[in-house]
Amino acid sequence: MRAEILRLLRQNAGGYVSGEDISKVLNVSRTAIWKHMQALKDEGYEISSHPRLGYCLQTVPDLLLPNEICPRLTTDFIGHSIHYYTTVSSTNNEAKRLANEGCPEGTIVLAEEQKVGRGRLARGWFSPFAKGIWLSVVLRPKFPPQEAPKCTLLAAVAMARAVRATGVNCGIKWPNDILYNGKKLVGILTEMNAEMDAINYVVIGMGINVNTDASEFPEELRDIATSLSSVLGRTVSRTDLLIALLHELELLYTQAGEEGFSPILAEWRKLSATLGQPVDVFGITRCFSGIALDIDEDGALIVQTEAGLEKVIAGDVSVRAKSQEEK
Ligand code: BTN
């Protein structure tokens, strides 16, 4: 009902719509309309009312409200069920809870702020109020569990496409960080629940630093993190970016289901900021250095070391400045 009211108000952008007209179109009482207007105001919409003229939408809050997202979605299923929170511990935790309860594929969890945002390798994720996109998407892919890491690469490609469309020439650091000039714009945390031979669900958690000012990052992140607004020198619409991201994600996910992952891996390679670079690898059991050569068909990173080729399935990689001999 509120989405419909907003649609009518927007149709008359800047003008008034009478309570009587709204109640006729939506077939509800004027008292009900008045109550919905109050609820919209409570959400942060500025709506002026005039005894004779009716209601006029003045401003829309800078929040990722489902009412702002749903009417603009271009997807067939991703984002068709939205769980929106002002504050949450972690959208990934919430998405896993919903997935365990059987929520439909494509369900998304969005929060303006995360109190305990989680990163890869048990790190935290800085998630200040209304500054970024803190999003988790529930997928139920048909492919086998060992192919799940490819979902992460797929998400990174979708993300890179959406970020590049804002004008930021970002790259992907293996497996799925989105960087600009070596600083992190986006982090992706994929979590899976599976049987031996089938995936129950995958939750892709994405954190995008959209409008965080450099000075707002905690001291320890200032040298390693950045935001789209810092790079572009202007505020970026989080709603526009979210809609573009969900569109790209669904496009690639559908493509992977129909054609396999090869085209996605090929695009990942083109967008990579890691391949061809000297890297330090911090694996689960050991650390070593070498040159990042390629990713294999499972998404593992192939590194040329002095001792030969190494395959990195999990862990962290940092791109090293080239030494004199390597230049
Ligand atoms: C990383 O780079 O370490 C991954 C960061 C992932 C952060 C996102 S924000 C939304 C979702 N909810 C979480 O708790 N984490 C992910």
Side-chain angles (χ1 to χ4, degrees):
M1 181 57 72
R2 280 176 213 153
E4 280 300 298
I5 292 176
L6 286 170
R7 191 179 56 78
L8 291 174
L9 292 177
R10 281 203 177 94
Q11 265 177 4
N12 288 270
Y16 278 84
V17 190
S18 75
E20 193 177 341
D21 283 353
I22 299 177
S23 70
K24 264 191 206 145
V25 175
L26 302 180
N27 200 21
V28 285
S29 71
R30 289 184 64 174
T31 316
I33 298 294
W34 182 86
K35 282 188 184 153
H36 284 301
M37 292 295 176
Q38 295 312 309
L40 286 169
K41 285 181 191 174
D42 289 344
E43 283 184 355
Y45 290 90
E46 256 184 71
I47 299 167
S48 51
S49 37
H50 186 281
R52 269 186 302 104
L53 300 175
Y55 300 98
C56 173
L57 179 62
Q58 302 286 357
T59 62
V60 170
D62 178 23
L63 296 173
L64 293 172
L65 296 166
N67 276 336
E68 294 301 309
I69 296 160
C70 295
R72 297 183 47 201
L73 278 177
T74 55
T75 52
D76 285 334
F77 66 99
I78 293 187
H80 284 225
S81 168
I82 302 181
H83 293 254
Y84 170 80
Y85 299 89
T86 311
T87 299
V88 79
S89 64
S90 150
T91 55
N92 263 35
N93 293 356
E94 200 48 33
K96 285 194 285 181
R97 190 186 63 73
L98 292 163
N100 282 323
E101 286 173 1
C103 72
E105 176 163 59
T107 295
I108 67 170
V109 180
L110 275 170
E112 298 298 346
E113 172 187 45
Q114 297 185 114
K115 289 293 186 197
V116 199
R118 295 193 292 111
R120 289 179 64 233
L121 307 170
R123 296 180 188 131
W125 185 259
F126 178 60
S127 323
F129 187 87
K131 294 290 179 175
I133 298 177
W134 325 126
L135 161 75
S136 299
V137 181
V138 178
L139 296 177
R140 299 187 185 277
K142 300 280 176 289
F143 41 79
Q146 53 281 18
E147 294 202 1
K150 292 182 194 166
C151 277
T152 304
L153 302 183
L154 182 157
V157 172
M159 184 65 83
R161 284 186 183 178
V163 166
R164 282 175 162 241
T166 68
V168 174
N169 200 13
C170 62
I172 306 175
K173 185 182 80 126
W174 186 88
N176 55 12
D177 288 347
I178 305 289
L179 305 185
Y180 178 81
N181 259 353
K183 288 189 174 184
K184 194 147 153 174
L185 283 166
V186 177
I188 302 178
L189 172 67
T190 309
E191 299 184 276
M192 174 173 75
N193 179 304
E195 310 294 322
M196 284 297 281
D197 54 353
I199 296 175
N200 295 327
Y201 62 80
V202 168
V203 166
I204 304 180
M206 289 170 266
I208 316 175
N209 299 323
V210 184
N211 293 320
T212 321
D213 194 70
S215 62
E216 291 171 312
F217 282 108
E219 189 74 44
E220 67 275 16
L221 296 181
R222 281 187 201 158
D223 289 341
I224 54 172
T226 189
S227 67
L228 295 176
S229 64
S230 302
V231 175
L232 292 168
R234 63 171 171 87
T235 304
V236 172
S237 159
R238 291 184 303 144
T239 311
D240 289 356
L241 180 57
L242 175 69
I243 302 239
L245 171 63
L246 298 179
H247 177 81
E248 296 296 351
L249 199 59
E250 185 171 297
L251 216 59
L252 290 172
Y253 183 60
T254 308
Q255 183 184 29
E258 286 167 1
E259 300 169 31
F261 278 94
S262 299
I264 293 159
L265 295 183
E267 191 169 342
W268 189 99
R269 289 184 181 100
K270 280 195 199 137
L271 292 163
S272 168
T274 309
L275 299 185
Q277 301 295 323
V279 288
D280 294 322
V281 178
F282 306 93
I284 303 297
T285 51
R286 63 201 188 88
C287 304
F288 55 89
S289 301
I291 306 287
L293 283 189
D294 200 359
I295 45 167
D296 69 10
E297 68 282 6
D298 294 323
L301 185 68
I302 309 297
V303 179
Q304 175 76 64
T305 71
E306 281 176 3
L309 290 183
E310 292 275 356
K311 185 168 158 171
V312 189
I313 297 164
D316 213 3
V317 158
S318 75
V319 175
R320 238 182 324 120
K322 285 185 178 160
S323 67
Q324 281 310 320
E325 300 87 76
E326 286 167 327
K327 273 180 190 166

